[in-house]
Amino acid sequence: MTEPPRLAVIGAGPAGLAGALAAAAGGVRVTLVDAAEQAGGQFYRQPAAALGARRPQALHHQWRTWERLRDGLARHRTAGRITHLTDHHVWCVRRESASGPISVHALLGPAQEEGVTVRADAVLLATGGYERVLPFPGWTLPGVVTAGGAQAMLKGGLVLPGRTVVVAGTGPLLLPVATGLAAAGARVAALVESAGPAALLRRAPALAAQPGKLAEGAGYAARLLRHGVRALTRHTVVAAHGTDRLEAVTVAALDRDGRLRPGSARRIPCDTLAVGHGMLPHTDLAETLGCTLTGTAVRVDAEQRTDVPGVWAAGEATGVGGAALALAEGHIAGRSAAARLHGTAPDPRRWAAAARTRTRLRDFAAALEAVYAPPAGWADRVPDDTVVCRCEEVTAGRVRESAGLLGAPDLRSVKLLSRAGMGWCQGRVCAPAVAGLAGCPLTAGRRPFARPVPLGVLAALPDTD
């Protein structure tokens, strides 16, 4: 009996789950590899079972969609069509030859000292995205967390990051974070959003094409009003204050050109600042495989195929657009991979509805990206003594010196001259800020590994791999 073809799906968020289910339904043996202990990704993050949450659905919307994905995964696992590997942190994906199998290398468990290799005939990259955080004085103080980090603490650990919280930055993520924290008992002192109503009005036709999304946003806004949360639009965080930990933040209004309005600064006491400036695609694994990027996202065709044979990508890795878009892209990728791994031409009619959804939501995401761009001139407001690269303690002044006085023309040259991005995270956190301060494009790093790897794991790899 011929063995079914094998597909490795990396990431068990909305895109990865949708892709795994579609491929398994198409007769492919799927290995779903994920770093978390449970499926769901950030969007469907679940509390640990040991916490005994009685109503986990209270922390989520689209709960019925999650139940459908969860139950589908359970059925395919029981039938032996999907193997779900949890706590597996993928550090590299390689082709052994131009037409040979693909090796997915991962580190197992919390300690990440044991190496695991998964073999497959093709791979679907559903690696999600990560938050962009722009520096400001005091951003390294204890009590300053990312907006997504605050949400993860609440969803996964059922804990609040603090008692009095300011949620700040820009992007649609701030609304669910603020409402979730307020509903859980935190006092949200303010929601500070650098975008303003005028930016939304300029994109009204594209945004109005998704009335469900607008209704979702209006629902968040109504809940914030019920909780008495102040919404400060066209405002930004100027500085965070404290000694041993955060004690207050200073915010100020922005004019039409993104400059601070004189006399508008106000100090807000708080013990937590949840801050984020949008999302960026996670493309490390795609870069190691040689996939072409368009801007900061993996380039894919109508079937979600990259330009590397046998490699599909879906979800935030191909462009940040939210869970619904990720589900549509994952479904298309899984259908396409199943057909092509069986040696047949895919029938686009089988994913026609998902393709229409993808088109609409990509347009909507493009409009949101324009609305919620980081405020103009943010880099000019960062003082020279502000630490930008926390790993190497590189300041904004050092980055500016590398680009200006020393003439670094690109992000890699700035890294070599200033050491910004040479630390443990290899620029995954600071690269957007370094690029902005240096005035150069945010380009792919082409790192050989997607995360630090113990030398013992490397030494244990077979010579032929």
Side-chain angles (χ1 to χ4, degrees), residues 132 279 296 320 364-374:
R132 171 170 48 198
M279 303 284 293
T296 59
V320 174
F364 184 79
L368 284 185
E369 184 179 9
V371 169
Y372 292 112

Side-chain angles (χ1 to χ4, degrees), residues 130-141 143-151 161 165-171 173-174 177-178 181 190-194 235-240 246 249-251 272-279 375 390 429:
Y130 65 99
E131 282 186 275
R132 171 170 48 198
V133 179
L134 304 179
F136 48 85
W139 77 289
T140 59
L141 278 170
V144 180
V145 299
T146 65
Q151 187 181 60
V165 186
V166 171
V167 179
T170 191
L173 177 62
L174 301 187
V177 170
L181 292 173
L191 171 62
V192 182
E193 167 61 68
S194 64
H235 279 67
T236 191
V237 171
V238 177
L246 181 69
V249 297
T250 294
V251 303
T272 303
L273 171 62
V275 62
H277 296 87
M279 303 284 293
R390 300 175 72 165
V429 174

Side-chain angles (χ1 to χ4, degrees), residues 262-428:
S264 67
R266 67 177 78 180
R267 190 180 178 105
I268 303 175
C270 60
D271 58 30
T272 303
L273 171 62
V275 62
H277 296 87
M279 303 284 293
L280 292 169
H282 244 314
T283 60
D284 285 359
L285 295 176
E287 292 165 27
T288 65
L289 281 162
C291 301
T292 299
L293 304 187
T294 299
T296 59
V298 182
R299 188 173 72 190
V300 292
D301 64 9
E303 296 180 30
Q304 298 295 138
R305 293 181 298 172
T306 72
D307 55 354
V308 176
V311 180
W312 281 256
E316 311 287 55
T318 67
V320 174
L325 177 57
L327 288 169
E329 291 186 352
H331 179 80
I332 294 169
R335 288 276 195 180
S336 169
R340 292 196 176 276
L341 285 171
H342 282 296
T344 61
D347 182 359
R349 292 174 298 181
R350 303 196 67 185
W351 62 71
R356 290 192 294 271
T357 298
R358 178 179 62 184
T359 298
R360 291 195 302 268
L361 290 178
R362 281 181 176 174
D363 291 343
F364 184 79
L368 284 185
E369 184 179 9
V371 169
Y372 292 112
W378 69 264
D380 297 333
R381 295 192 291 272
V382 180
D384 280 344
D385 60 355
T386 301
V387 171
V388 175
C389 171
R390 300 175 72 165
C391 298
E392 294 292 310
E393 299 185 350
V394 180
T395 64
R398 180 60 177 158
V399 171
R400 291 183 175 117
E401 180 185 37
S402 300
L405 182 63
L406 301 180
D410 52 36
L411 194 57
R412 182 176 180 275
S413 299
V414 173
K415 176 179 179 178
L416 293 173
L417 291 171
S418 70
R419 296 193 60 82
M422 285 194 179
W424 181 260
C425 83
Q426 285 292 291
R428 291 167 181 84

Side-chain angles (χ1 to χ4, degrees), residues 186-216:
R187 188 178 80 83
V188 180
L191 171 62
V192 182
E193 167 61 68
S194 64
L200 289 169
L201 290 174
R202 284 194 294 270
R203 301 286 172 171
L207 297 176
Q210 291 295 316
K213 291 286 187 181
L214 295 182
E216 182 182 316

